[in-house]
Amino acid sequence: MFDVIISLDSNGFITTIEWKNPELQKSLGDIWSAYPGAFFSDIPAFVTNPDEETICWNDEEFQYYRFEMPGGESAVFLKYNDHMEELLKAALDIFPESIQLYDRNAMAVYFNNAGLSTMDFPHNEIKHKHVLELFEVDADYSTVLTALRTQNRIANRFSRYKARNGTSFTTVNNAWPVFSGGKLLG
């Protein structure tokens, strides 16, 4: 879950740096090996933003969580921010076709811009809504529900349905179940 754990003594000096991400250690480990013994807040490359709970180090951004421990020691847990979510959303928004993401319970997670505009949904109205709350469609024939139920790809399924706002659609749909470690994600 975390990429780096920095332990601090009661005076705020770095005692250890523990790497949980080998790739990040390859790129930063040699440079950061000079930090144990240094006062955490004196490291000029660390720019903290407590409001956003981020630390920037030479233009690399980390989410951070600081935990106080007995005896005045503390630990700073860092998670590298690779901006993957923002990059993936930007990539999906390039597509002119509607792309909709649902979790394993058929709750809406994300619609790309084409999906939002085609369905005439504001983004804040789709998140965490079940597919049947968004669309008037037979649950036994819904492409999303069928793919989740069978855990198989559904390709080129012709559908007629209505969005809950009353707009009618005739579409050809595809759905791919997504797995991680053999477990259905959505």
Side-chain angles (χ1 to χ4, degrees):
M1 177 173 198
F2 295 103
D3 295 311
V4 184
I5 301 171
I6 301 174
S7 298
L8 307 173
D9 69 14
S10 59
N11 296 315
F13 288 95
I14 296 173
T15 56
T16 60
I17 297 176
E18 184 179 346
W19 295 94
K20 300 294 185 180
N21 179 328
E23 294 302 313
L24 204 55
Q25 183 177 9
K26 279 185 206 174
S27 62
L28 302 178
D30 288 343
I31 299 167
W32 285 30
S33 66
Y35 293 161
F39 191 61
F40 184 76
S41 61
D42 284 348
I43 297 173
F46 282 147
V47 179
T48 59
N49 183 343
D51 294 333
E52 295 180 16
E53 295 182 328
T54 60
I55 288 178
C56 289
W57 181 85
N58 290 347
D59 295 326
E60 301 290 346
E61 186 179 270
F62 297 84
Q63 291 297 120
Y64 82 92
Y65 308 91
R66 186 173 181 147
F67 296 97
E68 302 299 324
M69 297 185 291
E73 295 177 346
S74 58
V76 178
F77 292 76
L78 301 177
K79 176 71 178 155
Y80 181 67
N81 188 355
D82 58 8
H83 300 283
M84 185 186 304
E85 186 173 336
E86 297 97 315
L87 292 168
L88 289 173
K89 285 179 181 180
L92 291 173
D93 283 339
I94 292 170
F95 286 89
E97 295 86 11
S98 174
I99 298 173
Q100 302 172 13
L101 304 179
Y102 296 88
D103 69 14
R104 67 178 163 263
N105 298 311
M107 303 299 276
V109 174
Y110 179 78
F111 285 18
N112 71 344
N113 285 339
L116 291 172
S117 64
T118 300
M119 305 301 167
D120 195 26
F121 290 142
H123 192 274
N124 62 344
E125 288 186 17
I126 62 113
K127 196 146 180 152
H128 306 298
K129 295 250 170 107
H130 192 273
V131 66
L132 296 179
E133 291 179 85
L134 297 170
F135 302 103
E136 293 177 21
V137 61
D138 181 349
D140 292 330
Y141 195 73
S142 161
T143 306
V144 170
L145 293 174
T146 302
L148 292 172
R149 183 176 56 253
T150 65
Q151 297 188 9
N152 290 307
R153 177 179 178 219
I154 307 300
N156 301 318
R157 178 177 275 183
F158 177 81
S159 293
R160 284 194 176 126
Y161 56 94
K162 283 187 180 181
R164 290 292 177 181
N165 65 9
T167 306
S168 294
F169 295 95
T170 301
T171 62
V172 176
N173 298 321
N174 296 287
W176 287 267
V178 177
F179 299 89
S180 177
K183 183 178 178 183
L184 179 66
L185 293 182

